[in-house]
Amino acid sequence: EHSANLDAARALDRAAALDLLWQEWQYASAARLEVTQAAWQAQACRELQRAVDGAAGTLADLRAALDQQETTSLVVAAAESTLQGNVAQLRAAERSRDLAILDAKRAIGIRPTDVARIVSVKVWCCGGATIGSFNGGFVLRDNGWVRAAYR
């Protein structure tokens, strides 16, 4: 009877340890997903900013050409419309990026008011240890667990 109770206690202990590992894995996976989304949104903003800069340069060139009567006002209006569309897309992407960063901060336990730029991050669990690697930042730990890397 003592052996059966001991075996049952060990099985219960193993089940609890597996449940804890599963929760940690879910936590790390969610954090990784949120940080990845924030990083992709930031990349989209950089690309859209390049498009805005290019459209602004084109518009400036076309306005100069219009002054010299080398183009029409219709072409300039089309360039203005393109620039306005690019700016609107950039503003929407910046809002999405900001929301993604807030979600990432929430997932990794950083207060929304803390200034932190999320950088490339990998977070994963391995045999009861969460491991993080990152580019140009530091690791925020909570009770010995890697929660996030940011700078």
Side-chain angles (χ1 to χ4, degrees):
E1 182 177 325
H2 176 66
S3 177
N5 287 341
L6 186 58
D7 289 342
R10 286 183 181 149
L12 186 60
D13 186 50
R14 282 192 302 273
L18 289 174
D19 284 344
L20 180 60
L21 285 174
W22 176 244
Q23 289 173 1
E24 290 167 355
W25 175 256
Q26 289 176 315
Y27 177 82
S29 295
R32 183 179 60 207
L33 176 63
E34 296 295 347
V35 170
T36 300
Q37 288 175 339
W40 278 109
Q41 287 292 337
Q43 179 64 29
C45 288
R46 287 189 291 275
E47 295 301 323
L48 284 168
Q49 184 62 58
R50 286 188 194 110
V52 166
D53 293 344
T58 299
L59 179 59
D61 292 344
L62 287 172
R63 284 183 176 155
L66 182 64
D67 290 343
Q68 296 175 358
Q69 298 180 348
E70 294 176 356
T71 191
T72 65
S73 59
L74 187 59
V75 173
V76 173
E80 287 173 343
S81 177
T82 298
L83 176 60
Q84 289 173 354
N86 288 348
V87 168
Q89 286 181 342
L90 176 60
R91 296 299 170 250
E94 287 172 339
R95 177 69 178 145
S96 294
R97 177 205 58 208
D98 293 344
L99 291 173
I101 289 173
L102 284 175
D103 289 342
K105 285 180 176 182
R106 186 179 307 115
I108 58 180
I110 300 173
R111 291 179 304 199
T113 55
D114 287 350
V115 177
R117 187 168 73 93
I118 305 295
V119 296
S120 176
V121 141
K122 293 179 185 174
V123 181
W124 65 94
C125 288
C126 178
T130 304
I131 304 162
S133 68
F134 57 95
N135 296 327
F138 62 90
V139 175
L140 177 67
R141 294 179 178 270
D142 181 271
N143 296 328
W145 294 94
V146 175
R147 297 195 64 197
Y150 66 98
R151 66 175 176 194

